[in-house]
Amino acid sequence: RHRTAPARLALPDPSLGMSPEITFVFLFSIATAVAIAVRRFRIPYTVALVLVGLVLGMLDVVEAPRLTRELLFAIILPGLLFEAAFNLDMKIFWQNRRTIGSLAVPGVIAAIALTAAIITPAMSWFGLDPSFDWRYGLVFGALIAATDPIAVVGLFKQLNVGHRLSTLVEGESLLNDGTSVVLFTLILQFLGGAAATLGSLATQFVLIVGGGAIIGGATGWVLSSITKRIDDSLIEITLTVIGAYGSFALAEQFHFSGVIATVTAGMVCGTLGWQSGMSASTQLAVESFWDYLAFALNSVVFLLIGFAVQPHELVTFSGLIALAFMAALAARFGVVTTAVTLLSRTSEAMPKRWTAILTWGGLRGALSMVLALALPYDFPHREQLVAMTFGVVLLSLVLQGFTMSWLLQKLGIVDGRTANLSLDHIRTDLSLVDRGLLELEAMRREHAAPVAVLNGLETRLRSRRDAACERLDALHLADNDLQRDANLRAVRRLLIAERAALADAAGEGGVRREVAEAMRKDVDARLATLGTDPPTPADELLMPDEEIAALIAGPLRPPTPPNVTDQN
């Protein structure tokens, strides 16, 4: 860093002579201190890291590593993507595949176009930079198209927000990372003079994304197959690391999307390898390993974001940054609103309040900054684009990250979180008891312990399960919201089972296809009624038995559907 103040020249530079090893230990010490400090407050850990990194960068306490494309793509991004995809609830992801897919692919394309359409004329209107035309607007739109939900998802877990909303935010981000990187590359190629038509660009996009998905899926399947044949936690952890970094490197080697490859590999390993290939002890070891690795990588990347931001550049380009932030937010709102509206009459319908959460939760992160730094040095308006991107990322993380908790409470999405937290604890306890009973059965078959010992353990587990079931029933009876949600989940599950039975019957020839199709549409209509906004009066939150019966029997008459606050 260039120093101009004579007083600072007279002082010893604490960053001089600091070895990479000491720098590494220093950064992790800072990250640990921040993690301890934020435990007392509802402040997203990653946002606090950015602010601490910004302060340390201004004070020039340590010469931190630069946040480069090589560092992000070779070390940080594969691990973070794999961990998120590995732990993703695939059942909820698949149930909301149209929503996630629409936001992650056509939504990203629309966001890029909308951002360019907003910011390009605004540059001239406000006299900021009249030479900033649509080409640079597209580049900027591609730079900030990727969302980084780490801070928001962490806050969701802390406030016990429903699984469906968390999966929507995280699932969209996993896919739109790859989409935005590919689109950014294609836009630069097009602006660089490469002879290309819209059709050829679309073909390249499909090949790059599809190739990455195939490589990731094949890698995940092979590693999951190996996992099923061994029972060694250290080897199985290593296989997941190979899945994360190997799939990314292999896809990039063949010029496909490494991001999509790693996400796909994580989903496959988390579904096939985790559920059917790992023992309970191995699952615990794998989960602990990836939890820590995600913590370590997040600590590094968000600290480095703070170090990379130059405050004087933010001041110099403050007008551009404010305009860029508003343009990005407006484009995000337009895309989310369109998606929510189009899906409002499907089984994936969402409460309208989620529009604000999905819009405000679209934080930008390290990927946008690294892509901006990767622009060629002779690229026109590079300095403005880098400053705008850095400013949008900082504003997004700090402003949106700090106010997300307030917005969730203002919209009532986290109302009743204490009861929901108790509900999750009881359900988790029941799942652990069920797993323990399965392990006891396996021990009986293997004659791993005396029968008297196994019988005693089984008695204790069954008593524990009975007590948990009593607490669960009492909790539902005492809380109308929980009872209503339980009713709706039960109805939804019955309707989904009915839909699957129709598909099986039609496939086996037991029912004529036109009959099955007509009945399927009726089931879909009943499913769609479960996704609309909730009524506000507290006395309407409990669904009457006759409405449940009507939902199972057929669409409500008159069509005033029962509603749900949060489909967990």
Side-chain angles (χ1 to χ4, degrees):
R1 299 177 185 272
H2 181 66
R3 299 174 175 82
T4 57
R8 293 198 62 183
L9 290 174
L11 295 174
D13 186 352
S15 67
L16 293 178
M18 186 175 287
S19 65
E21 295 83 0
I22 298 298
T23 302
F24 177 81
V25 173
F26 177 81
L27 293 178
F28 269 91
S29 299
I30 293 297
T32 304
V34 172
I36 294 172
V38 299
R39 287 174 64 89
R40 295 180 176 271
F41 310 99
R42 282 180 179 166
I43 300 174
Y45 166 64
T46 51
V47 176
L49 283 174
V50 172
L51 295 177
V52 170
L54 180 63
V55 172
L56 292 177
M58 293 171 60
L59 298 176
D60 206 13
V61 174
V62 63
E63 192 67 28
R66 291 186 61 192
L67 187 60
T68 62
R69 180 185 175 91
E70 291 73 20
L71 177 63
L72 187 74
F73 276 53
I75 299 176
I76 296 173
L77 199 57
L80 291 178
L81 291 172
F82 187 89
E83 186 272 339
F86 188 83
N87 291 313
L88 198 66
D89 190 324
M90 286 304 299
K91 182 179 179 181
I92 299 179
F93 180 89
W94 184 250
Q95 290 172 352
N96 296 276
R97 60 191 180 278
R98 284 178 291 183
T99 304
I100 294 172
S102 63
L103 290 174
V105 182
V108 170
I109 297 173
I112 294 174
L114 278 173
T115 303
I118 294 171
I119 199 168
T120 301
M123 287 286 195
S124 299
W125 293 342
F126 294 102
L128 294 172
D129 193 346
S131 63
F132 193 98
D133 61 25
W134 64 270
R135 295 171 297 175
Y136 312 115
L138 284 177
V139 172
F140 174 71
L143 286 173
I144 50 89
T147 58
D148 188 341
I150 295 170
V152 173
V153 172
L155 189 64
F156 281 3
K157 293 178 181 177
Q158 184 181 356
L159 295 177
N160 199 44
V161 174
H163 298 306
R164 186 190 177 202
L165 183 54
S166 298
T167 303
L168 283 175
V169 173
E170 193 164 16
E172 179 214 346
S173 176
L174 286 173
L175 297 183
N176 74 22
D177 278 357
T179 304
S180 60
V181 171
V182 174
L183 290 173
F184 174 74
T185 304
L186 294 178
I187 288 173
L188 285 186
Q189 289 180 6
F190 177 74
L191 296 182
T197 62
L198 187 61
S200 65
L201 290 175
T203 302
Q204 287 187 62
F205 175 82
V206 172
L207 288 175
I208 293 172
V209 172
I214 292 172
I215 288 177
T219 303
W221 182 82
V222 170
L223 295 176
S224 298
S225 300
I226 297 173
T227 298
K228 294 178 181 179
R229 289 167 171 77
I230 60 175
D231 186 14
D232 188 312
S233 58
L234 295 179
I235 294 177
E236 292 176 72
I237 289 173
T238 305
L239 290 175
T240 60
V241 175
I242 293 172
Y245 291 89
S247 59
F248 192 96
L250 190 62
E252 291 289 323
Q253 181 70 27
F254 289 100
H255 305 291
F256 296 131
S257 173
V259 173
I260 296 296
T262 299
V263 169
T264 307
M267 289 180 174
V268 174
C269 289
T271 303
L272 299 180
W274 169 271
Q275 294 179 359
S276 58
M278 295 182 183
S279 64
S281 59
T282 299
Q283 288 180 347
L284 181 61
V286 171
E287 184 178 11
S288 299
F289 169 81
W290 280 104
D291 281 348
Y292 172 72
L293 188 62
F295 168 78
L297 294 176
N298 279 322
S299 300
V300 170
V301 72
F302 281 95
L303 271 176
L304 294 185
I305 287 176
F307 277 105
V309 173
Q310 299 295 325
H312 67 275
E313 292 184 0
L314 299 182
V315 174
T316 302
F317 296 101
S318 57
L320 284 174
I321 291 170
L323 177 62
F325 178 75
M326 295 303 297
L329 199 60
R332 173 75 179 173
F333 176 76
V335 168
V336 171
T337 302
T338 302
V340 170
T341 302
L342 292 176
L343 295 167
S344 61
R345 296 188 177 275
T346 70
S347 60
E348 296 184 25
M350 294 172 283
K352 294 179 181 178
R353 295 178 297 175
W354 287 12
T355 302
I357 300 301
L358 291 173
T359 300
W360 202 245
L363 278 66
R364 272 63 178 183
L367 182 60
S368 296
M369 297 176 67
V370 168
L371 292 178
L373 291 173
L375 286 171
Y377 283 100
D378 59 349
F379 192 84
H381 299 279
R382 182 184 188 276
E383 187 179 9
Q384 293 97 316
L385 287 169
V386 171
M388 289 161 59
T389 303
F390 277 39
V392 168
V393 170
L394 187 62
L395 276 176
S396 175
L397 289 172
V398 176
L399 180 60
Q400 294 172 243
F402 269 119
T403 56
M404 179 57 70
S405 175
W406 173 85
L407 183 61
L408 289 168
Q409 295 177 27
K410 193 72 175 176
L411 294 176
I413 291 177
V414 294
D415 284 353
R417 57 185 175 272
T418 302
N420 284 327
L421 189 59
S422 299
L423 183 65
D424 281 352
H425 285 166
I426 295 173
R427 285 176 174 167
T428 303
D429 191 28
L430 285 171
S431 66
L432 293 175
V433 170
D434 290 339
R435 175 57 64 87
L437 291 172
L438 290 175
E439 288 295 322
L440 281 177
E441 288 299 319
M443 293 169 69
R444 288 184 191 279
R445 292 192 299 269
E446 299 168 4
H447 304 286
V451 175
V453 173
L454 296 178
N455 287 341
L457 291 173
E458 182 178 4
T459 300
R460 291 170 59 185
L461 284 175
R462 292 192 181 279
S463 298
R464 179 177 161 189
R465 185 172 64 178
D466 292 341
C469 288
E470 290 178 4
R471 295 199 310 272
L472 186 63
D473 291 341
L475 192 62
H476 278 119
L477 291 174
D479 192 295
N480 287 346
D481 287 349
L482 292 182
Q483 188 171 354
R484 177 187 174 79
D485 288 346
N487 290 342
L488 288 172
R489 279 196 299 269
V491 173
R492 185 180 183 86
R493 186 164 178 174
L494 287 174
L495 292 174
I496 291 174
E498 187 176 331
R499 196 179 192 280
L502 282 171
D504 292 340
E508 295 171 358
V511 177
R512 294 174 60 181
R513 289 192 176 275
E514 55 268 27
V515 174
E517 180 65 19
M519 296 181 71
R520 183 192 63 78
K521 290 180 179 179
D522 181 61
V523 173
D524 286 344
R526 282 178 275 159
L527 276 170
T529 65
L530 298 177
T532 51
D533 262 354
T536 51
D539 54 293
E540 295 182 16
L541 288 174
L542 185 60
M543 179 185 288
D545 292 339
E546 59 269 20
E547 289 191 17
I548 297 176
L551 262 179
I552 297 175
L556 293 175
R557 300 291 189 268
T560 303
N563 302 304
V564 60
T565 300
D566 184 4
Q567 299 175 20
N568 282 336

